[in-house]
Amino acid sequence: MSRSTRRVLPGFNLTLGYTLFYLSVIVLIPLSAVFIKTTELGLAEFWAVVTAPRVVATYKLTFGASLLAAAINALFGLMLAWSLVRYSFPGKKLVDALIDLPFALPTAVAGISLTALYARNGWLGQWIEGEWGIKVAFGPLGVLVALIFIGLPFVVRTVQPILEDLDTELEEAAASLGARRWQTFRYVTLPILLPALLTGFALAFARAVGEYGSVIFIAGNIPMVSEITPLIIITKLEQYDYAGATAIAVVMLVLSFILLLTINGLQAWTNKVTGRDR
C-alpha cells in the first residue's frame, strides 16, 4: 500500500497547518491578548478589581443562573425531545421548527419580547406579578427566564438524534423481563442518553454564561441585584478601563473553562462506565 493511500485526508499537512493557523487567529491570539492586557495591572490591583463586591455579585448571578438554567433545560429539553421522537400529535412539525427560533432570533429582539411578556403590564406579567406577587422582569428571575429561552435548543438538538437512533428493542426486552417503565428508563434508556444530555447541558451553560443581548432588557441591570458579568465588562470598556474589563474577562474565562472541563470529564467517565468509549 502506497503512502498516499494510507492517508485519510489528502494533503494532511496542509490541512493541519491551515487548521492550526485558523484556530490561532480566531481563538488563541484573541484569548492571549486578554491575558496580556490584564498584565498591565499589578497583582494587588487585579485582585481588587476582580473581587470588588459589585463584581462578585455579578459572578454569583451569571454563573448561578447559567447553571440553574442549563439544569432546567436538561430536564425539560429531554422531555421535549422525547415527545418529538416518540409521539405524534397535531402541530408536531411546527413545535419542532419553533425550537430553533432562539438560534435565528436576534438576542435583542428576544430580550424585548420577553420583557414585554413578563413585565408587570405584560400578558403574563400582569398575572404572575400582579396577582401572585412574583416579580419576573427587571430582577434575577428575569435573567433566568432569558437564559432558559436561549439555551433550550442546545439540549433538544443534542438529545434528539440519539433518541431517534435508539433501538426500541432494548426497552421492549426490558419490559418483557418485567421491568416497569421507570426502571426501563432508569437502567436502559438514560445511560445511553446521558452523554448527549451532558453535552447539551454544557452547550447550554456555555451559551448562557456569555449571553448579553437577551438579558440586559429583562434583567433591569440593578447593581448588586440583577447585573450580569458581561454587562459590567461593557461598562468598564465604556469607561476606557480596558485593563479592568480584561481582568474580569480572565476570571470568567478561567471559571468557565474549569466548569466545562469538569462537565467534559464527567461525560468521559459516563462513556467509560456505559462502555460507549469502546
Side-chain angles (χ1 to χ4, degrees), residues 7-195:
R7 292 180 176 177
V8 178
L9 294 176
F12 176 75
N13 293 334
L14 178 62
T15 304
L16 179 62
Y18 175 78
T19 302
L20 294 177
F21 172 77
Y22 186 82
L23 181 65
S24 299
V25 171
I26 301 300
V27 179
L28 297 181
I29 293 178
L31 293 182
S32 300
V34 172
F35 284 92
I36 293 173
K37 188 66 178 180
T38 306
T39 58
E40 295 180 1
L41 298 174
L43 185 59
E45 293 177 309
F46 173 83
W47 185 253
V49 170
V50 300
T51 59
R54 181 178 175 183
V55 177
V56 172
T58 67
Y59 297 151
K60 293 179 180 179
L61 177 60
T62 299
F63 287 97
S66 297
L67 285 171
L68 182 56
I72 293 173
N73 281 330
L75 175 60
F76 289 98
L78 173 61
M79 295 172 60
L80 183 54
W82 187 281
S83 299
L84 290 173
V85 173
R86 295 298 177 90
Y87 302 106
S88 296
F89 51 89
K92 177 180 177 179
K93 291 184 178 180
L94 177 61
V95 173
D96 192 33
L98 288 176
I99 291 173
D100 293 327
L101 185 61
F103 286 148
L105 196 66
T107 55
V109 175
I112 294 173
S113 301
L114 291 173
T115 304
L117 187 63
Y118 288 101
R120 185 177 179 84
N121 59 348
W123 291 349
L124 294 180
Q126 61 181 333
W127 298 103
I128 297 176
E129 185 174 350
E131 299 292 334
W132 302 339
I134 302 175
K135 183 178 181 180
V136 179
F138 312 123
L141 189 56
V143 176
L144 180 63
V145 169
L147 297 183
I148 292 173
F149 175 79
I150 57 98
L152 180 63
F154 290 95
V155 178
V156 176
R157 293 312 185 205
T158 305
V159 174
Q160 190 175 2
I162 307 301
L163 267 174
E164 291 173 346
D165 294 337
L166 183 63
D167 191 355
T168 56
E169 292 181 358
L170 296 174
E171 298 174 6
E172 294 171 357
S176 67
L177 293 174
R180 293 189 294 271
R181 289 184 178 182
W182 171 249
Q183 290 176 320
T184 301
F185 176 77
R186 168 66 179 83
Y187 295 105
V188 178
T189 308
L190 184 59
I192 299 175
L193 296 178
L194 192 56

Side-chain angles (χ1 to χ4, degrees), residues 54 57-58 61 138-141 143 219 221-228:
R54 181 178 175 183
T58 67
L61 177 60
F138 312 123
L141 189 56
V143 176
N221 309 320
I222 304 172
M224 307 295 293
V225 177
S226 59
E227 188 177 37
I228 58 174

